[in-house]
Amino acid sequence: EVQLVESGGGLVQAGESLTLSCVASGVTIGDYGIGWFRQAPGREREGVACFGCGEEIADSVKGRFTISSDNAKNTVFLKMNNLKPEDTAVYSCAAGSSLLLYNSAYVDYWGQGTQVTVSS
């Protein structure tokens, strides 16, 4: 059984930082692409960052967000710096054998999501 368990979301002020974690079981980093997508109310789901997808960081967050991993713990991290109110969304961890950063149709597994709220 595949499980992706996210943690680290919360409420922060603009300019602050958060780090999200995704612990994967049933899939292995390297065998699967693992990344982060976000969706804000009334907006389409957006790829944010991804390992094993070719392009790792979306243009919309480049320079502020970074993705890293602890392969021994099968965990992927999303470090978000200089957060802006427009970053407010539910952030979901995703895994796919052919995962693409800009196309969520290739996601095979989703986590439950974690809310990130950035106040101005």
Side-chain angles (χ1 to χ4, degrees), residues 29-118:
I29 299 171
D31 293 339
Y32 274 72
I34 297 182
W36 295 91
F37 291 77
R38 68 183 181 184
Q39 188 164 24
R43 300 186 65 179
E44 291 188 357
R45 182 181 285 126
E46 174 188 21
V48 175
C50 184
F51 268 134
C53 301
E55 187 168 0
E56 285 197 347
I57 302 293
D59 290 341
S60 60
V61 300
K62 198 164 289 183
R64 298 190 298 122
F65 290 14
T66 57
I67 189 169
S68 62
S69 69
D70 182 337
N71 289 357
K73 297 181 178 179
N74 217 32
T75 300
V76 174
F77 304 98
L78 180 67
K79 178 69 183 295
M80 305 182 292
N81 294 323
N82 190 23
L83 282 161
K84 303 176 180 181
E86 53 263 42
D87 294 318
T88 295
V90 174
Y91 286 70
S92 298
C93 183
S97 58
S98 302
L99 194 61
L100 295 176
L101 179 60
Y102 292 111
N103 192 338
S104 63
Y106 291 90
V107 173
D108 296 323
Y109 306 101
W110 289 100
Q112 82 282 1
T114 185
Q115 176 70 45
V116 172
T117 303
V118 185

Side-chain angles (χ1 to χ4, degrees), residues 1-5 22-29 34 73-75 95 109:
E1 180 186 7
V2 175
Q3 284 191 319
L4 303 171
V5 180
C22 172
V23 180
S25 58
V27 293
T28 303
I29 299 171
I34 297 182
K73 297 181 178 179
N74 217 32
T75 300
Y109 306 101

